[in-house]
């Protein structure tokens, strides 16, 4: 089985594409079961956030595994394979592990060191485990990755300052208006992103926070937590007419605010300026809304250009985090290779002993009667031949065990000496020919 990762994120695909292939939380279990039903996959985790969609899987055939996942994503997003392929990246073997380590550490996020991704990865892994869709490879990789993410955050200052999409959205509002004090701010949605947005708004001095959600109960709970005011979803137009800033983060599968609606709202506002920040994926606000007079619209991709006062500190912490990742990657490679190397050495020595005994028995039978001293000399010579013959392969294999190619040398030896790879490899192997064929294509 080989670990693979296929996905897209804010760096490879615009929000217009990401929203097509995103999964609503209610869809993820069904998607996982559909992926598990594909014969090319054995073990799968689906990570879907506002800025990335990634499928981690174990597969006996790398090319086939990658192909079926690409087809799955194309079907889900109602896109042609050739259209989605340009936005996808593929990682295999150790590159897949290294990529996950970077993700959990927050080094691959739009906001370096963001705090939500570690929990999101843990939740994705937990969902897979609950459905019994994980295997030894998935467990090993994700348990190591989560430990790495925790270590990075405990040993660096990468998350000592607010780091999230919600925080960056509030920073964008402050940079656009100069200040949020005295502004009426409307939050659409009542989930985790909305709660973080409200938290950062209050910390920035906002004194009027309105919350609107399809569930009035959830809107009230969030509004009460931050001394705000809940707005019935049916009265959203009234709230839009009142607000100076709107930050939208619902889980809706369609546009919540369309041009026709905002045109009526802006007439009611008498074209008074309105800032809309849409951090939802799929987007909540139709892009044509931004063309209306008096409206300034930003979507989640616009947050990439926002620079906050803590950015330099996070970048410095990211350098330290990168060193930790390489250290942890080295440990993982050494650990993984040891799973193959020790059993292979034992099996190789056993094979040498088997051959020695077969040859000795044949030679002694042909020689006929010999004395004890002569037999001892012959046996000693046979032992020396086997020991000297295996010395170099074993020494080189031990040395290779500390490199990223250790498991490949192991399986080469298994093939050359006809050792039983299925018994020797705890995870059923990351084979030589597949690794070699994909090495140059990893991105």
């Amino acid at each position: 089985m080989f670990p693979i990762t296929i996905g897209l994120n804010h760096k490879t695909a615009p929000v217009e594409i990401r929203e097509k292939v995103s999964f609503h939380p209610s869809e993820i279990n069904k998607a996982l079961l559909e992926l598990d039903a594909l014969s090319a996959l054995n073990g799968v985790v689906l990570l879907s956030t506002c800025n990335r969609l990634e499928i981690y899987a174990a597969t006996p055939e790398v090319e086939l595994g990658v192909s079926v996942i690409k087809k799955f994503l194309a079907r889900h997003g109602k896109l042609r394979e050739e259209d989605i392929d340009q936005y996808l990246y593929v990682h295999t073997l150790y590159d897949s592990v290294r990529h996950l380590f970077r993700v959990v550490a927050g080094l691959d996020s739009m906001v370096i060191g963001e705090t939500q991704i570690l929990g999101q990865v843990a939740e994705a892994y937990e969902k897979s485990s609950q459905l019994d869709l994980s295997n030894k490879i998935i467990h090993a990789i994700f348990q190591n990755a989560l430990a790495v993410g925790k270590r990075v955050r405990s040993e660096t200052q990468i998350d000592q300052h607010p780091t999230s999409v919600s925080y960056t959205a509030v920073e964008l509002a402050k940079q656009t208006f100069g200040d949020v004090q005295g502004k009426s701010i409307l939050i659409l949605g009542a989930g985790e992103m909305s709660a973080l947005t409200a938290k950062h708004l209050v910390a920035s001095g906002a004194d009027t926070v309105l919350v609107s959600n399809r569930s009035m109960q959830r809107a009230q709970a969030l509004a009460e937590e931050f001394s705000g005011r809940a707005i019935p979803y049916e009265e959203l137009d009234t709230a839009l007419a009142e607000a100076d800033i709107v930050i939208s983060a619902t889980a809706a599968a369609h546009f919540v605010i369309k041009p026709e609606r905002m045109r009526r709202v802006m007439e009611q506002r008498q074209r008074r300026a309105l800032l809309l920040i849409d951090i939802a994926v799929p987007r909540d606000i139709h892009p044509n809304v931004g063309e209306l007079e008096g409206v300034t619209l930003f979507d989640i991709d616009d947050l990439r250009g926002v620079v906050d006062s803590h950015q330099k500190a996070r970048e410095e912490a990211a350098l330290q985090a990168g060193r930790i990742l390489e250290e942890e990657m080295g440990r993982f490679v050494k650990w993984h290779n040891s799973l193959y190397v020790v059993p292979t050495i034992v099996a190789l020595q056993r094979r040498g002993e088997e051959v020695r005994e077969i040859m000795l028995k044949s030679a002694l039978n042909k020689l006929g009667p010999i004395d004890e001293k002569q037999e001892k000399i012959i046996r000693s010579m046979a032992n020396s031949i086997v020991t000297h013959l295996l010395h170099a392969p074993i020494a080189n294999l031990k040395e290779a065990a500390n490199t990223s190619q250790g498991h490949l040398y192991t399986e080469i030896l298994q093939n050359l000496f006809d050792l039983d790879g299925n018994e020797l490899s705890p995870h059923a192997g990351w084979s030589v020919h597949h690794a070699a064929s994909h090495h140059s294509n990893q991105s």
Side-chain angles (χ1 to χ4, degrees):
M1 288 294 164
F2 319 105
I4 59 174
T5 304
I6 296 89
L8 48 76
N9 61 23
H10 62 283
K11 292 183 285 189
T12 68
V15 66
E16 294 87 350
I17 298 297
R18 298 203 306 277
E19 66 187 4
K20 289 181 183 295
V21 296
S22 66
F23 287 85
H24 189 276
S26 63
E27 300 175 320
I28 289 180
N29 282 2
K30 180 184 176 185
L32 284 168
L33 293 172
E34 288 179 8
L35 286 163
D36 181 63
L38 299 172
S39 60
L41 305 181
N42 184 358
V44 62
V45 174
L46 194 159
L47 176 63
S48 183
T49 74
C50 59
N51 278 326
R52 75 178 60 247
L53 171 70
E54 294 178 339
I55 294 175
Y56 296 83
T59 177
E61 296 285 344
V62 170
E63 293 89 349
L64 183 58
V66 170
S67 176
V68 298
I69 290 176
K70 286 184 175 182
K71 290 179 188 297
F72 171 82
L73 291 175
R75 284 197 307 273
H76 174 70
K78 295 180 174 59
L79 296 165
R80 294 184 304 172
E81 283 186 62
E82 54 266 33
D83 291 335
I84 193 175
D85 194 59
Q86 62 183 305
Y87 302 109
L88 296 173
Y89 44 80
V90 176
H91 299 291
T92 64
L93 304 180
Y94 289 131
D95 279 351
S96 179
V97 179
R98 179 177 277 103
H99 175 73
L100 181 58
F101 282 12
R102 285 185 56 80
V103 169
V104 295
L107 297 184
D108 198 54
S109 299
M110 178 183 288
V111 183
I112 294 175
E114 63 133 320
T115 52
Q116 288 178 276
I117 190 62
L118 182 59
Q120 290 167 334
V121 170
E123 183 180 353
Y125 169 54
E126 185 179 355
K127 281 189 176 182
S128 174
S129 300
Q130 287 173 345
L131 293 172
D132 198 25
L133 303 182
S134 299
N135 57 18
K136 289 181 179 179
I137 292 178
I138 297 293
H139 284 310
I141 292 173
F142 273 81
Q143 288 171 8
N144 272 275
L146 292 171
V148 169
K150 292 173 184 176
R151 182 188 169 193
V152 165
R153 283 164 175 78
S154 66
E155 295 186 17
T156 73
Q157 301 294 310
I158 203 163
D159 65 349
Q160 293 303 300
H161 305 290
T163 52
S164 67
V165 168
S166 300
Y167 169 76
T168 308
V170 174
E171 286 294 298
L172 178 58
K174 289 162 63 177
Q175 291 174 20
T176 303
F177 272 93
D179 200 346
V180 296
Q181 288 185 334
K183 302 295 182 184
S184 177
I185 302 169
L186 170 64
I187 298 175
L188 287 182
E192 182 182 4
M193 292 268 279
S194 300
L196 283 171
T197 301
K199 173 185 174 182
H200 295 309
L201 283 169
V202 171
S204 298
D207 48 20
T208 305
V209 177
L210 311 176
V211 181
S212 185
N213 190 62
R214 287 189 182 277
S215 168
M216 186 59 179
Q217 184 178 0
R218 295 186 65 186
Q220 287 174 331
L222 181 57
E224 288 173 6
E225 185 178 351
F226 296 100
S227 302
R229 178 158 55 94
I231 305 294
Y233 197 74
E234 298 74 23
E235 299 176 16
L236 179 56
D237 285 6
T238 303
L240 288 169
E242 176 185 344
D244 298 301
I245 301 170
V246 178
I247 300 180
S248 190
T250 80
H254 52 77
F255 291 122
V256 176
I257 299 177
K258 298 180 180 179
E260 300 78 17
R261 181 179 212 166
M262 278 309 303
R263 194 172 288 110
R264 294 193 301 270
V265 169
M266 291 309 291
E267 288 175 1
Q268 192 176 344
R269 294 171 61 92
Q270 298 181 341
R271 303 292 186 273
R272 182 167 54 88
L274 176 63
L275 173 63
L276 302 172
I277 303 177
D278 185 357
I279 56 176
V281 178
R283 289 170 294 178
D284 286 335
I285 305 173
H286 194 287
N288 290 349
V289 167
E291 299 174 4
L292 298 176
E293 183 182 350
V295 174
T296 301
L297 171 63
F298 295 109
D299 62 32
I300 194 165
D301 283 353
D302 294 316
L303 301 185
R304 281 180 287 198
V306 178
V307 178
D308 66 82
S309 58
H310 306 302
Q311 186 159 327
K312 185 178 180 183
R314 284 202 301 273
E315 288 173 350
E316 291 174 354
L319 294 176
Q320 184 183 355
R323 290 191 288 270
I324 291 174
L325 252 62
E326 287 309 307
E327 178 186 330
E328 290 290 347
M329 196 64 209
R331 287 181 181 176
F332 181 87
V333 168
K334 188 174 182 179
W335 166 80
H336 180 262
N337 286 336
S338 72
L339 300 179
Y340 298 81
V341 169
V342 174
T344 298
I345 290 174
V346 171
L348 185 58
Q349 291 170 330
R350 187 183 300 120
R351 177 58 53 84
E353 292 169 1
E354 291 172 354
V355 171
R356 180 197 64 201
E357 290 304 313
I358 291 171
M359 293 297 101
L360 271 174
K361 184 177 180 179
S362 175
L364 292 173
N365 285 337
K366 291 176 180 178
L367 285 172
I370 58 174
D371 60 34
E372 184 178 338
K373 181 179 179 182
Q374 291 172 322
E375 182 175 340
K376 187 175 181 180
I377 291 172
I378 292 171
R379 287 187 177 278
S380 177
M381 181 183 68
N383 286 338
S384 295
I385 290 172
V386 171
T387 300
H388 281 81
L389 180 65
L390 298 184
H391 173 74
I394 290 175
N396 291 336
L397 183 57
K398 286 180 178 178
E399 185 176 344
N402 296 320
T403 73
S404 62
Q405 303 299 309
H407 63 288
L408 301 183
Y409 282 95
T410 300
E411 293 195 32
I412 288 172
L413 268 180
Q414 291 176 8
N415 291 333
L416 287 175
F417 288 89
D418 196 26
L419 306 179
D420 189 346
N422 289 327
E423 290 183 7
L424 297 172
S425 302
H427 294 164
W430 294 2
S431 80
V432 175
H433 66 282
H434 283 295
S437 67
H438 256 72
H439 184 72
S440 62
N441 294 325
Q442 294 169 357
S443 54

